[in-house]
Each structure stands twice: as C-alpha cells, then as structure tokens.
Amino acid sequence: MSTTERKRDGGDERLERYVMIALIIVISGAVLVGLLAYQPPATFDTLSSLNWSRDIWEGVMPNFAGYRVPTEHPLMLAIGLLLLPFGDAAPQMFVALALVGYIALLIAVFRFGVFVTGIFGGLVAIGLMATRLDVAWLAGVGFLDPPYAALICWAAYLEARSPRRGGLVWVLLILAGLLRPEAWLLLGLYFLWVGYPLSWSGRFRILCYTAIAPLIWLATDWFVTGNPLFSMTATSRNAVDLGRSRPFETLPYYTLYWTNSVLKLPLSILAGLGVVLAIQQRRTQLILPAILVATTWFSYLVIASGGLANVWRYILIAVVGLILFATYAVTGWSKVERGSTFKKLWAGAALLLVIAGFGWTVTHLNLTRIDEDVRRRRAITDQFRAIMTNPEVLKARRCGAVSVPNQKLLPEAKWSFHLDPPAIIPRSDTEIPVQTEGVAILINPAYESRPDLNVNEYAVDNGWEALQVPPPGFKFIASNEYFLAYGRCAPGSP
C-alpha cells in the first residue's frame, strides 16, 4: 500500500492526535516520577563528556587522550556547555535530557506504527518498545543512544510520510551525525536519494548539508588533539586494549546475538515473521525500517571489524526497525481484505504469539532486580563522595594522590572533586609507578563485580590480585558499604 493509499478522515487524525497527547502525558509523568524517586546518576560516558565541557568553560583544553576515556561526541560537548550553569545539578539535567530523548523515541515508534497499520499498530509498537527495558535503562543513566535513536527514527518517519522531504530531515540527521558517526552513512544515502532528481547546483547544496556533521567532528578532534581522525583511532585502540574487539568471522554472530539480546527471543521471532509478511503483502511503509536495520547492521560490522568496540548499544536502531516489523506481524492482518481466510488465520496466529510473548515476559521479568540496581547506582555515587570527604581520608589526601582500582571512578572524582592526574590515578594503569603515599580506594568485595564498579571486567587488569590490594605500607582508615579507604603519610608529610 502506498503512502497515499490510506486516506484518513478528520476523525482518524484527531484520534491519533489525542492518543499521542495522552501517551506523552502518561509517559512523561511516569518518567518524572522515576527521575525524582531514583535520582539516577550520570553514567561514565556522560559524566566524562560533561567534565570536558567544564574544561572548555574554564578555558582548559579537554583531554580526549586520557586513560581509557570514552569517545568524544561534539553535540554532547555543546549540550554540556548549556547545562553547566546548573552547577552540581548538571549531571542530573543530562540524565533528564536523555529521558526526554527516550520519550521522543517512544512517540516516534508510535507514529511509525500508526503509519504502518493505524492506531492499533501504533499502540502495539510503543508497547513493544517500552518493554525493552534495556533501552529505558540507557536513558535512565544518561547514555546518548536513546536520543540518537529518536533523531534517526523521527527523520525516517518524516521521510516515509513525505519522500524527499529534506528540511527537518536534514536537521535531524545532522544532529544525529554529531552524536554518532554511524549517522554519516545515512546522511550519505539521503544525499543520493534526494540529490538524484536535482540539478548539479542542488546536489552541491545538499552535499554541503551532508558534510556538516563529519566536518564538525573532524574539526573538533583536530583542534583538541591535532589529529582529525583521533576519535576513530583512539576508540579502536581502547577496544583492543580492553578486549572489546572481536575476530571478523565472529561478527555476524555477534550482530544477531546483540540484536536478540535486546529484542528477546519471542520478539525476534515476531520480527522475522513480520519481514516475511511485509514482503508477501508488499508493505512499502516498511521500506525505511528495513533500510534502518540493514544500515545499522552494516555500520556495526564496519565498526567492529575496524577494531572499534562492539557493544549492544550500537545496534539500537536495528532493534527499533525490527520492532516495527514485529508490530506488523501482530497487527498487519487488520489491513488484509475483510472476510478472507488468510486474515482469520493471521489474526489467530498473532493472538497466540502475543499470548506466548506475554507469558515469556512475565516469567522472565524481574522488577525487583531492576529497582535494586537503579537504587544502588545512586548509592554508589553518594558513598564515593562520602568516603572521599571522610575526615581520615581528607587527612591522608594531603599526603599524596588518590588511587582507584581502574577508570570507572575517574569521571566522578573529576566532577565532584576536580581531581585530574596525577592527583587521581587508576591502579590498572601499569605505566604509573606504585603509589607510596596518599589514599587508596578499594571496592567492597561484595560489589566489585557490579558493571559500574567491575574490577574484573577486563582480563588485562587482573582485578582481584592487582587492583583490589592496597599499596605496600598503606593502613586501613575508613569504609562504608561500597568502599574501603587505605592511607599512608610518609614521615615529614603535612
């Protein structure tokens, strides 16, 4: 069915608008309650970016080449500058913006679902997306991925409704290209699509649009590091050092593995059925979701084969596209000719699959674990600040640097205490001499395997034996639930 086949009357459009407004109100209310109740801290990547923004604000060149730092993203640096006037609340504001991006993603999925099979499809699509709790978690700790996905999905939806639309689609893709370089591929494809019927002058104009995000990114790297390709090369080195790179022959497996890890098996099966049915029914509304899946998987393979980190967040756009195919598997029968046997069989099979999927979700969902994990993230941040301001720790800090097991606590130490190397050192950095005085922070062994503290995440660190042992001569001085502090002051130290 073409984009103009389904002609909706004013009542349909009003219903869609009212439902969308109701969804925005309900979801925003739920997100606000969660934000106030949990007050989740910003994650490692987000807080690192905010630290760089503060460096720029204070007239200091940010250190993109620091120890195991994440990749810089120009748009996050700009947002960080806008949030710095909020002071200590800036990290929380960053998380709030990520949650706004998550809401925008949900509404984009709803609108796309409506475009494919009507209000029924929109409600199913947003329900499937909202129950991917891994994605909600990303937003809840401030990762850029949900806002990035929202930009891409809104661009795809607007383009699907009005082919070769340009304008706002360009703006959304350029902003996405300042968050992730994977969007550059979509910018290039959009240039080819929009530029085909244009004159040469028109093609040159949109070529300029296509180049904006890559040029800003390369210029940022060049200005700060002297190497316009620094983000690409540094990320590749970090991935190899931390064991995140994979042999090329394993990448197809990991592509499907990470996709299924977010979708979960029942939804993966539904998505596969949706692809088959969309082809059989020649559902052109799903061409752009198919392109999103294909380009995301392709860019993931390119990224991972180039030695860059391969983590599930990089396939999020493919997950969104496949959710739309799963939506079609559940709701597409509503667009089949009334009274046909195929329609009845499809509707019955969809109902059985939904019941099976619901049962799987109920038996596998552990809300208590999710609640505990989010609360502990807040407590870890608060208790790290508490241990660092303990009177005995403050006394020992006057004698020398503070050491932490690895890179995971470095952004918080910099944000809360303005500690930069050599005042703060990771013991996992073997190029730094063994600490002789100051403070050594250790993780309570009960929590040393948590993702946000994990001392054993990377085999190269030899966490238990090397990172969780205080330096020679250091004595225990303080502790709380999550941290232990050891200190040493050499004779004659202040």
Side-chain angles (χ1 to χ4, degrees):
M1 186 165 62
S2 68
T3 57
T4 60
E5 178 182 338
R6 181 167 58 91
K7 296 185 181 298
R8 300 179 300 165
D9 59 27
D12 292 334
E13 293 179 351
R14 283 195 299 272
L15 177 60
E16 178 184 338
R17 184 166 59 251
Y18 293 154
V19 171
M20 183 180 69
I21 292 172
L23 287 171
I24 293 173
I25 293 172
V26 171
I27 297 170
S28 299
V31 166
L32 180 60
V33 169
L35 184 63
L36 295 176
Y38 291 105
Q39 299 182 37
T43 193
F44 178 89
D45 291 30
T46 304
L47 200 54
S48 297
S49 183
L50 197 55
N51 280 324
W52 288 330
S53 295
R54 187 170 66 180
D55 287 341
I56 296 170
W57 182 275
E58 295 174 350
V60 178
M61 190 70 75
N63 183 13
F64 294 166
Y67 180 72
R68 292 182 181 175
V69 297
T71 305
E72 63 91 4
H73 303 86
L75 186 57
M76 290 187 71
L77 294 176
I79 293 172
L81 287 170
L82 295 176
L83 296 180
L84 284 176
F86 292 96
D88 291 339
Q92 204 70 49
M93 295 296 294
F94 229 129
V95 172
L97 284 179
L99 288 167
V100 170
Y102 175 65
I103 296 171
L105 172 61
L106 292 178
I107 299 303
V109 170
F110 166 75
R111 294 295 296 270
F112 225 131
V114 172
F115 177 64
V116 174
T117 53
I119 291 290
F120 182 31
L123 292 174
V124 170
I126 194 173
L128 294 176
M129 190 72 236
T131 51
R132 302 311 97 194
L133 297 181
D134 290 336
V135 182
W137 177 84
L138 286 178
V141 295
F143 273 108
L144 62 86
D145 304 86
Y148 168 73
L151 292 169
I152 296 296
C153 290
W154 272 106
Y157 167 72
L158 293 172
E159 179 63 21
R161 292 299 302 266
S162 179
R164 293 191 172 96
R165 175 188 181 119
L168 184 55
V169 174
W170 280 116
V171 173
L172 294 171
L173 290 178
I174 290 169
L175 290 174
L178 294 173
L179 284 178
R180 282 210 177 283
E182 296 96 297
W184 301 353
L185 173 60
L186 293 174
L187 280 164
L189 291 175
Y190 197 55
F191 163 75
L192 295 175
W193 168 244
V194 175
Y196 178 74
L198 296 181
S199 64
W200 283 106
S201 61
R203 291 170 185 169
F204 178 76
R205 173 174 51 83
I206 63 172
L207 178 63
C208 293
Y209 299 160
T210 306
I212 288 174
L215 288 178
I216 290 177
W217 201 306
L218 297 176
T220 302
D221 276 357
W222 175 79
F223 182 75
V224 174
T225 70
N227 177 8
L229 299 177
F230 179 83
S231 291
M232 314 305 163
T233 56
T235 303
S236 178
R237 286 196 302 270
N238 277 341
V240 173
D241 293 343
L242 300 181
R244 283 181 168 179
S245 60
R246 295 287 187 272
F248 178 79
E249 62 272 14
T250 68
L251 295 182
Y253 163 78
Y254 277 106
T255 302
L256 297 178
Y257 171 82
W258 288 126
T259 303
N260 182 68
S261 72
V262 182
L263 287 175
K264 308 303 188 260
L265 183 59
L267 194 54
S268 295
I269 294 172
L270 271 177
L273 291 174
V275 171
V276 174
L277 289 166
I279 294 172
Q280 191 268 336
Q281 294 291 306
R282 298 180 181 178
R283 199 69 178 169
T284 57
Q285 287 91 334
L286 287 164
I287 290 176
L288 271 174
I291 292 173
L292 293 181
V293 174
T295 54
T296 301
W297 281 348
F298 174 78
S299 62
Y300 174 84
L301 290 172
V302 171
I303 288 170
S305 64
L308 303 180
N310 64 97
V311 292
W312 71 265
R313 295 184 286 115
Y314 294 175
I315 51 84
L316 179 55
I317 302 298
V319 167
V320 176
L322 289 170
I323 281 175
L324 291 169
F325 278 102
T327 297
Y328 185 65
V330 174
T331 64
W333 56 267
S334 63
K335 297 301 176 183
V336 177
E337 182 181 353
R338 187 185 301 274
S340 70
T341 301
F342 180 62
K343 179 172 186 173
K344 295 175 182 177
L345 291 174
W346 186 349
L351 178 60
L352 291 176
L353 287 170
V354 168
I355 293 173
F358 178 79
W360 192 95
T361 301
V362 169
T363 56
H364 287 76
L365 183 63
N366 188 341
L367 292 177
T368 301
R369 181 182 62 82
I370 296 172
D371 173 77
E372 179 183 2
D373 179 76
V374 177
R375 291 187 185 279
R376 286 194 184 280
R377 291 185 66 86
R378 176 75 263 168
I380 287 170
T381 297
D382 292 341
Q383 292 206 21
F384 178 69
R385 294 173 180 174
I387 197 78
M388 289 287 286
T389 54
N390 178 281
E392 293 300 317
V393 172
L394 288 173
K395 181 180 177 180
R397 282 174 58 186
R398 291 196 292 268
C399 299
V402 176
S403 71
V404 291
N406 52 26
Q407 78 281 2
K408 290 182 177 290
L409 293 169
L410 295 180
E412 183 60 47
K414 179 176 175 63
W415 177 259
S416 295
F417 304 102
H418 288 77
L419 292 179
D420 271 317
I424 180 83
I425 55 176
R427 292 190 293 278
S428 58
D429 188 349
T430 56
E431 295 183 2
I432 297 178
V434 175
Q435 190 178 8
T436 58
E437 56 182 339
V439 175
I441 301 294
L442 276 66
I443 311 299
N444 182 334
Y447 303 109
E448 64 184 6
S449 294
R450 278 188 53 84
D452 40 1
L453 295 174
N454 196 352
V455 299
N456 304 300
E457 184 173 1
Y458 311 119
V460 296
D461 287 344
N462 193 18
W464 282 325
E465 297 182 15
L467 308 186
Q468 283 285 79
V469 177
F474 279 60
K475 304 294 184 183
F476 173 80
I477 56 175
S479 68
N480 55 33
E481 182 181 359
Y482 293 94
F483 300 100
L484 300 92
Y486 292 77
R488 182 177 186 273
C489 287
S493 297

